[in-house]
Amino acid sequence: MTGLRYVYAVCRPLAAPLQAELTGVAGAPAKLLHHHGLIAVVSQVPERDFAEEPLRAHLEDLDWLAATARGHQQVIDALTAVTTPLPLRLATVFRDDSGVRVMIEEREEVFLRTLDRLEGRVEWGVKVYVEPTGQEESAGPDRPAPKPASGRDYLRQRRMKAREHEDTWQRAERFAGRLHSLLSEHAEAARLHAPQNSALSKASGQNVLNAAYLVPRAKSEEFVEIVDRTKGEEPGMRVELTGPWAAYSFVEPAAAEGTQSAEGRRTAEGTHTAESAGSAAGEGS
């Protein structure tokens, strides 16, 4: 195997085979590298794109970054279907197989401890958005809001809008809090992430809850049903469920040094952010 080694994840030996002809970053096939009772899932990638200098330049190219994140996530998704993977950070590259083996040996203890803790569990993401009101939608660029008849009308409209906005956000916060408490009761662990920037995520509405839940696979169907029952429960609130994912949000700090952040996963979902993509090329190349 020639070229650099792009490493997607570390996991235990697979109980079921990966899907045939699985490809990942740059369309390269995914291979299994066995070492010390663990497996690194790798692809061969060209130096012209993934050596330290060209990779650093590529990480400023949002289109390239998004395509790479999608290829990375495609392999992680395939792994998640058959095992519990520990995803490595986006663009983790080593010079050769020996570099990958050294990485496994250096982090073997924390990898094993983390895999033991996450075995048989997946991550579900839940977001709540405040939808634009019908009044805001009707007052779009083609249908502007009626002009006030006087200065007094203008002030009254401003006060009403401010009051409506405050009421909506208080209601959204109460709904998001209740939902998070409910879902936390049906998960082994939960993490609250910062609300997503709608300009980056391209999602409509304002994000008021952005949470992750660690759920046993065997209880995932029940968890999904609970989330589904909340959809439409509160007018003007949109509930979105994503997953099942590898447990990105529940990796201990020592293992997180070599693992992909949840933001890296969201890059693959369509959130373009160079901040999420760290390079480990210097470790092995």
Side-chain angles (χ1 to χ4, degrees):
M1 192 176 186
T2 59
L4 302 179
R5 305 298 186 269
Y6 184 108
V7 189
Y8 300 92
V10 172
C11 59
R12 295 187 184 279
L14 305 181
L18 273 178
Q19 67 186 62
E21 301 179 359
L22 174 64
T23 59
V25 170
K31 305 292 184 182
L32 305 182
L33 177 63
H34 295 255
H35 190 65
H36 278 209
L38 291 170
I39 292 175
V41 183
V42 305
S43 283
Q44 174 186 321
V45 292
E47 279 194 66
R48 67 177 180 273
D49 290 321
F50 289 90
E52 188 170 2
E53 289 303 319
L55 180 56
R56 185 176 292 115
H58 278 314
L59 293 178
E60 300 300 321
D61 180 344
L62 296 184
D63 290 335
W64 186 93
L65 176 59
T68 300
R70 285 193 295 270
H72 185 110
Q73 189 61 41
Q74 183 168 293
V75 174
I76 300 302
D77 288 344
L79 281 169
T80 304
V82 297
T83 190
T84 301
L86 188 55
L88 296 197
R89 190 172 54 179
L90 192 69
T92 298
V93 182
F94 293 88
R95 172 63 60 184
D96 51 27
D97 289 350
S98 295
V100 179
R101 291 189 175 99
V102 168
M103 179 271 293
I104 291 176
E105 291 178 5
E106 289 177 345
R107 302 175 185 170
E108 182 176 7
E109 183 178 344
V110 69
F111 283 163
L112 290 171
R113 183 170 65 246
T114 303
L115 287 168
D116 283 344
R117 182 168 55 85
L118 300 179
E119 182 67 32
R121 295 159 178 82
V122 292
E123 176 175 328
W124 290 92
V126 177
K127 298 182 181 69
V128 174
Y129 295 90
V130 179
E131 297 275 35
T133 65
Q135 190 174 32
E136 290 171 343
E137 290 174 344
S138 64
D142 297 329
R143 300 180 60 185
K147 293 183 179 180
S150 65
R152 181 175 296 178
D153 286 342
Y154 171 77
L155 292 175
R156 184 167 58 250
Q157 288 179 14
R158 288 289 300 270
R159 285 196 297 269
M160 289 178 61
K161 287 181 180 178
R163 191 178 302 117
E164 289 171 0
H165 181 78
E166 183 178 352
D167 290 346
T168 297
W169 277 96
Q170 289 179 352
R171 186 163 53 86
E173 289 175 355
R174 289 194 297 269
F175 174 67
R178 291 196 307 271
L179 179 59
H180 180 60
S181 296
L182 172 65
L183 297 180
S184 296
E185 292 174 359
H186 291 83
E188 291 190 358
R191 296 284 185 274
L192 285 172
H193 299 301
Q196 284 190 319
N197 185 325
S198 58
L200 293 175
S201 68
K202 308 300 183 184
S204 65
Q206 294 294 315
N207 184 210
V208 293
L209 176 68
N210 182 13
Y213 303 91
L214 185 67
V215 180
R217 286 181 188 272
K219 295 185 178 180
S220 284
E221 184 175 349
E222 176 187 355
F223 185 86
V224 171
E225 289 176 353
I226 293 170
V227 176
D228 285 344
R229 286 199 297 270
T230 69
K231 295 180 179 180
E233 178 180 303
E234 189 73 26
M237 310 295 160
R238 185 175 82 256
V239 179
E240 288 188 358
L241 173 71
T242 62
W245 304 103
Y248 297 92
S249 301
F250 302 95
V251 177
E252 59 188 273
E257 293 177 4
T259 58
Q260 182 188 6
S261 68
E263 279 301 325
R265 184 196 70 220
R266 286 192 283 272
T267 303
E269 292 182 77
T271 303
H272 297 251
T273 168
E275 182 181 344
S276 68
S279 166
E283 298 177 19
S285 57

